[in-house]
Amino acid sequence: MAAMFRSIGSWIVFYSKTLEQMVTIGTNSIPIVMLTAFFSGMVTSVQSAYQMTSSFIPPETIGSIVGESILLELAPVISALVLTGRVGATITAEIGTMRVTEQIDALESLSFDPVSYLILPRVMAGLIMFPILIIIADYCGITGGWVSVVIDPDINVTSFQFFDGFKNNME
């Protein structure tokens, strides 16, 4: 990690590698992040509505419960777990294969810093793309919660008042 932070000045040199990694890490991860967040929102909405039937809490709070659960907890955590598995396995396999086939040694013999060339673009791409993926997950999770309320005949659609409930909880 220290070697990576020392080579931060060479990030501009490997800018194109960072863009490639942003596509690999970020753009290719969008479908799985959207899918997991969408179904997490649906499950949260159904479970919130189920719990509301036997309590004194008004059903209009389903939207705010789903919104807060998705925005604060589920979207970041589930996205992080999915990205850890998908992106982490991809990077590990790629660099492990490069070590076995002696490509990293070849980079060193060509006077390239392997940390600047291999690690720094991946870390920078992750720093840029992970927050964007979490914003996408937030949107898909709340949309999934709303779709769940619309589909379920036992839940009134007016029960999903995300913005009203969220605004009231913020005050």
Side-chain angles (χ1 to χ4, degrees), residues 118-142:
L118 297 174
I119 306 301
L120 186 63
R122 287 168 173 80
V123 171
M124 294 303 290
L127 285 172
I128 295 168
M129 293 306 293
F130 284 1
I132 295 169
L133 289 170
I134 290 173
I135 290 169
I136 292 170
D138 289 337
Y139 176 77
C140 291
I142 292 170

Side-chain angles (χ1 to χ4, degrees), residues 22-124:
M22 286 172 69
V23 169
T24 303
I25 289 173
T27 309
N28 295 342
S29 300
I30 288 175
I32 189 75
V33 167
M34 287 175 66
L35 189 70
T36 55
F38 186 79
F39 285 113
S40 296
M42 289 180 83
V43 167
T44 304
S45 180
V46 168
Q47 288 299 316
S48 299
Y50 175 73
Q51 295 299 323
M52 295 301 153
T53 59
S54 62
S55 68
F56 296 110
I57 301 172
E60 291 81 21
T61 60
I62 292 174
S64 63
I65 291 172
V66 170
E68 288 184 33
S69 300
I70 293 295
L71 291 173
L72 298 176
E73 296 289 334
L74 289 175
V77 170
I78 291 178
S79 296
L81 289 173
V82 167
L83 291 172
T84 299
R86 187 196 176 285
V87 173
T90 301
I91 291 173
T92 302
E94 192 174 12
I95 292 178
T97 302
M98 292 178 86
R99 173 58 74 190
V100 169
T101 58
E102 298 179 354
Q103 293 176 24
I104 296 175
D105 297 332
L107 283 173
E108 289 174 349
S109 67
L110 291 171
S111 298
F112 279 99
D113 182 19
V115 174
S116 297
Y117 189 76
L118 297 174
I119 306 301
L120 186 63
R122 287 168 173 80
V123 171
M124 294 303 290

